[in-house]
Amino acid sequence: MFKKILIANRGEIACRVIKTAKKMGIATVAVYSDADRNALHVRMADEAVHIGPPPANQSYIVIDKIMEAIRQTGAEAVHPGYGFLSENMNFAAALEKEGVAFIGPPSPAIEAMGDKITSKKLAQEAGVSTVPGYMGLIADADEAVKISAQIGYPVMIKASAGGGGKGMRIAWNDQEAREGFESSKNEAANSFGDDRIFIEKFVTQPRHIEIQVLADQHGNCVYLHERECSIQRRNQKVIEEAPSPFLDEATRRAMGEQAVALAKAVGYTSAGTVEFIVDANKNFYFLEMNTRLQVEHPVTELITGVDLVEQMIRVAAGEKLPFAQDDLKINGWAIESRLYAEDPYRNFLPSIGRLTRYRPPVETAAGPLQDAGKWVPAHPGDAPAVAQTGVRNDTGVYEGGEISMFYDPMIAKLCTWAPDRAAAIEAMRGALDGFEVEGIGHNLPFLSAVMDHPRFVSGDISTAFIAEEYPEGFQGATLPDAELERIAAAVAAMHRVAEIRRTQIGGRLDNHERRVGQNWVVFLDKREFPVRINADKQGSTVEVNGGRSLRVESDWKPGMPLARLTVDGAPLTLKVDAIPAGLRIRTRGAEIRTHVRRPRSAELARLMPEKLPPDTSRFLLCPMPGLVVRINVAAGDEVQEGQALATVEAMKMENILRAERKGVVKAINAEAGQSLQVDEVIMEFE
């Protein structure tokens, strides 16, 4: 077994690999750029080597710098994680030449499957069903438009060396094909150093389901069942689960056997993923093969008990797989929510800055478990080793750390496991409610809203789920009346606790005593809930709207940012922030400004005029911190609704800003190459 490995990556995946390496008694080496000098993966590793400036194309994807770090530290093997150099054939070949083990597939397999154009041709030759498309190289935008029209819209424009949603666009007409080709080409060049593009038919209402495979150097190859990855936004996965709520056993077996056959055809070893799109009739089509560890691998680990990183290391060291296909059963259900540094209230645009508060939920063991090197098979009906439900959080950040504009916006991968899907969803709801993140925009509210969405709960999903259910973007969840009554009762009880504290202030007049009343009006944004509180030492009984009485118990005290209560016999978790004369409450994807007033004060509050936000309709504002890539118009130009005005790059993604209506450009306030902050003016309209 190796004594020392280098992780050629950063963030949560570097931390994830370090954890398993330590469990196996293997020393670790981290690499870092200037931006990551104080990163968590650097702190966790036994050694760390500086490799250059923040941009990935000057540090993390420069092969010579990684090779020098290997020589400097004497690492015997390299784990590439995902992204960066993980699917780079030249990197794998350089390691082989140096006599350093690559914890991944051999370079010929990377060449065959890592390139999406070549992999589709090989899949077709192997008899695998593939989506119609054009696999040749595309010279320019004009040729892209011509090919797209021949295939038939809609089409998917994809980077051949792409992954993680980078370099991908859906085009529904010639204009979108032209713009999508140019943006995909630029993103591919910046992220992967390879700007080749191909085009294929976009299957409407598809599900994205992938098969995890694992192969050793002795001819053994197995599949570890499937992952459902249909909840996506801009081709980036947001929520994954294993197994899929859609597949039956026959389809699962057929997809798994086909994935194994494809892996064997190219001499694949290590962990890899064969991705399929599946239509409503359970017809499946090969999409691509990722010759690396997937971001969403934890859900597979939770339902099988297999540590995929450990098995990758053991395979690279020449060991045989310790199990056969028949040993790999599905045990329970696992769900993963990707926590991103992006603002859901600004159409999910990237957010950067300092994590002023970062408190993930407590991790608890769940699902089938194994000791290092001793795999324990899981069988249906087995009791989980520790708990009936469990929480896992894979992360690469810490409280006080910075979210950089140079890399992927992922903060953490929150996973839950339970014996069945409904219980796993409920466990995820509780984990999301208790996850505290402050200082930056993040998608926790959106993730919570999805967990309560009827379509997701029923399993009736597709890759179009987010676009269909949130066509105008996410503006917060709308909670049912019964839940609002529970929140009103909780807020009333919390207000009473704060009022009691205020009555105990020192320096009072001897003949004056302040009493806490029983009758109040709770304002939840613009909704009003008259309440009457009867309190005792254990809690409060709150009568809401003159009818329903709810028992509220909690140990919350003013100033605590998280309130864990029991309301009407059921748990309720609220994130709490003080605002003038009230509280801002966040729960289950909803953000509510609350005020508790005496009945007379409530009457007067209704007479107060509402403050309106400033009018910014005549300005194009930068929606996120980023770099201006291009300005598409000039002062004096007349623009039409939907026309591209400017492109801003942030966190390796290009964002095209379009006109919301017809108008005339009065002035341009920014230029290509300029870095802008949120809400800086790019251009002004007449």
Side-chain angles (χ1 to χ4, degrees), residues 505-586:
I505 189 169
R508 296 177 300 168
L509 296 175
D510 291 338
N511 63 346
H512 176 77
E513 182 178 354
R514 182 178 176 184
R515 295 183 179 179
V516 178
Q518 290 182 305
N519 296 313
W520 302 86
V521 179
V522 179
F523 287 74
L524 302 184
D525 289 330
K526 296 182 180 180
R527 300 262 324 249
E528 297 182 27
F529 296 84
V531 301
R532 181 176 178 82
I533 305 175
N534 292 299
D536 53 51
K537 292 182 178 180
Q538 284 72 42
S540 300
T541 300
V542 183
E543 184 181 286
V544 182
N545 283 329
R548 187 180 180 192
S549 291
L550 303 174
R551 181 67 179 174
V552 181
E553 296 180 357
S554 174
D555 60 356
W556 180 84
K557 298 292 187 295
M560 294 174 63
L562 197 68
R564 298 185 184 275
L565 310 102
T566 300
V567 182
D568 199 26
L572 176 64
T573 303
L574 305 175
K575 297 185 181 76
V576 183
D577 296 302
I579 59 174
L583 298 173
R584 180 176 69 134
I585 297 295
R586 288 169 292 166

Side-chain angles (χ1 to χ4, degrees), residues 302 333-335 361-367 384 386-393 414-419 423-428 431:
L302 287 171
W333 212 283
I335 295 177
V362 176
E363 294 187 76
T364 56
V386 176
Q388 286 301 311
T389 61
V391 175
R392 168 175 167 176
N393 188 56
L414 180 65
C415 302
T416 57
W417 180 95
I425 292 174
E426 184 59 32
M428 181 61 74

Side-chain angles (χ1 to χ4, degrees), residues 218-528:
H218 305 278
N220 303 305
C221 184
V222 297
Y223 65 91
L224 290 88
H225 309 296
E226 81 279 5
R227 295 185 288 258
E228 172 85 56
C229 307
S230 296
I231 305 295
Q232 303 180 5
R233 185 191 54 74
R234 297 175 187 161
N235 304 308
Q236 180 95 20
K237 299 165 187 173
V238 179
I239 294 171
E240 302 98 346
E241 58 184 304
S244 166
F246 183 63
L247 294 190
D248 53 44
E249 186 55 41
T251 307
R252 175 180 294 116
R253 186 183 306 109
M255 293 175 69
E257 291 174 352
Q258 187 167 305
V260 167
L262 185 60
K264 286 184 174 180
V266 295
Y268 197 88
T269 63
S270 193
T273 297
V274 182
E275 300 193 347
F276 295 91
I277 56 174
V278 184
D279 66 20
N281 297 316
K282 293 187 174 66
N283 298 309
F284 56 89
Y285 304 93
F286 172 74
L287 193 59
E288 62 189 21
M289 183 175 188
N290 290 306
T291 56
R292 54 172 168 81
L293 190 68
Q294 290 281 86
V295 175
E296 57 274 17
H297 74 274
V299 292
T300 295
E301 295 182 327
L302 287 171
I303 67 164
T304 62
V306 176
D307 184 329
L308 289 170
V309 173
E310 178 181 342
Q311 294 305 320
M312 291 178 75
I313 294 172
R314 293 187 180 282
V315 166
E319 295 186 14
K320 291 183 178 181
L321 294 180
F323 38 73
Q325 188 64 61
D326 289 343
D327 297 319
L328 296 168
K329 308 299 181 183
I330 295 174
N331 188 326
W333 212 283
I335 295 177
E336 174 180 290
S337 295
R338 298 193 190 187
L339 176 56
Y340 286 122
E342 57 187 19
D343 191 340
Y345 303 106
R346 285 176 172 262
N347 198 26
F348 299 95
L349 291 172
S351 176
I352 63 174
R354 186 176 298 280
L355 286 165
T356 58
R357 189 172 182 85
Y358 179 73
R359 305 288 173 87
V362 176
E363 294 187 76
T364 56
L369 305 175
Q370 84 279 338
D371 297 325
K374 298 178 181 179
W375 181 79
V376 180
H379 298 285
D382 284 356
V386 176
Q388 286 301 311
T389 61
V391 175
R392 168 175 167 176
N393 188 56
D394 286 18
T395 188
V397 302
Y398 56 90
E399 187 168 293
E402 294 271 353
I403 301 297
S404 169
M405 66 178 288
F406 296 102
Y407 311 115
D408 189 272
M410 183 182 292
I411 299 172
K413 301 180 313 195
L414 180 65
C415 302
T416 57
W417 180 95
D420 56 57
R421 187 170 188 266
I425 292 174
E426 184 59 32
M428 181 61 74
R429 289 170 180 149
L432 290 169
D433 283 344
F435 205 136
E436 300 178 71
V437 180
E438 304 293 346
I440 60 168
H442 54 79
N443 66 334
L444 272 174
F446 176 72
L447 296 171
S448 292
V450 172
M451 288 300 129
D452 282 334
H453 197 288
R455 270 189 66 185
F456 177 77
V457 173
S458 70
D460 179 22
I461 55 178
S462 74
T463 56
F465 172 85
I466 293 177
E468 291 172 352
E469 299 301 325
Y470 303 95
E472 304 300 322
F474 179 72
Q475 301 303 322
T478 301
L479 302 180
D481 288 348
E483 189 66 12
L484 290 176
E485 288 186 355
R486 294 180 72 230
I487 293 172
V491 169
M494 292 162 67
H495 178 76
R496 180 183 176 279
V497 171
E499 281 288 285
I500 290 174
R501 172 174 285 190
R502 285 188 280 269
T503 66
Q504 297 171 345
I505 189 169
R508 296 177 300 168
L509 296 175
D510 291 338
N511 63 346
H512 176 77
E513 182 178 354
R514 182 178 176 184
R515 295 183 179 179
V516 178
Q518 290 182 305
N519 296 313
W520 302 86
V521 179
V522 179
F523 287 74
L524 302 184
D525 289 330
K526 296 182 180 180
R527 300 262 324 249
E528 297 182 27

Side-chain angles (χ1 to χ4, degrees), residues 138-158:
I138 302 170
D140 52 34
D142 290 335
E143 186 179 3
V145 170
K146 181 179 179 181
I147 291 170
S148 298
Q150 290 173 346
I151 294 173
Y153 291 106
V155 298
M156 176 72 82
I157 301 169
K158 302 178 71 173

